[in-house]
Amino acid sequence: MTLRSAALSPADSSSTAVIHTTVLPPAHSAAVDIAGHAARLAPTRMLAAAAGVPVPDLLAHGDDAPGIDAPFLITARVDGEALARRIQRDPEFADIRTGLAAEMGRVLGLIHRADASSLTMLDDRDPVDTIEGLYQGVDHPR
């Protein structure tokens, strides 16, 4: 088991943390590199956080763990709404909608300004070639 952890200590022993766990299932196609994808998630998330991008705190990540046998991330839970339809239509989100596009643009700017030179695992291949390779790896391409 390879487990890397960052800041996994509660303020006191009686506190409880709400966490979110992402387990990436084994690849169903040889063309999909789930383990490689998982190996890129943690460093990129840490880089984004260092650049000021609002991401959940990364508590732990690894290639596998007993009972999981798949790459995983454990992050702190972030309060909010994830359903776009509710954000777009519900009256309770009316105030948020007025500044949402500007906030999203600000966050995208933070992402694009982040110094990614330390992320040696980034794929610099032509994305069209990558998509073509995935397409050709499907059992029955049209």
Side-chain angles (χ1 to χ4, degrees):
M1 171 176 107
T2 304
L3 175 65
R4 289 167 292 283
S5 176
L8 188 57
S9 56
D12 63 59
S13 60
S14 64
S15 67
T16 57
V18 179
I19 61 170
H20 173 76
T21 304
T22 301
V23 176
L24 300 163
H28 52 76
S29 165
V32 179
D33 178 16
I34 295 294
H37 177 69
R40 291 186 295 272
L41 280 176
T44 54
R45 213 172 256 199
M46 289 186 279
L47 176 82
V53 176
V55 295
D57 292 336
L58 182 61
L59 303 176
H61 62 95
D63 301 324
D64 63 10
I68 296 176
D69 297 327
F72 69 94
L73 295 173
I74 300 175
T75 62
R77 183 181 184 282
V78 176
D79 288 331
E81 181 57 59
L83 298 175
R85 185 175 349 132
R86 289 197 59 210
I87 294 169
Q88 292 170 345
R89 298 183 183 142
D90 284 9
E92 68 182 286
F93 297 105
D95 292 340
I96 293 170
R97 284 193 292 271
T98 60
L100 187 58
E103 177 63 10
M104 292 170 90
R106 184 188 74 76
V107 170
L108 284 172
L110 292 171
I111 292 169
H112 284 277
R113 277 197 307 266
D115 179 12
S117 61
S118 65
L119 299 177
T120 58
M121 82 295 276
L122 291 179
D123 186 352
D124 61 355
R125 295 176 292 175
D126 183 336
V128 174
D129 292 341
T130 302
I131 293 169
E132 176 69 19
L134 290 170
Y135 173 73
Q136 293 299 329
V138 176
D139 290 338
H140 297 86
R142 296 182 193 199

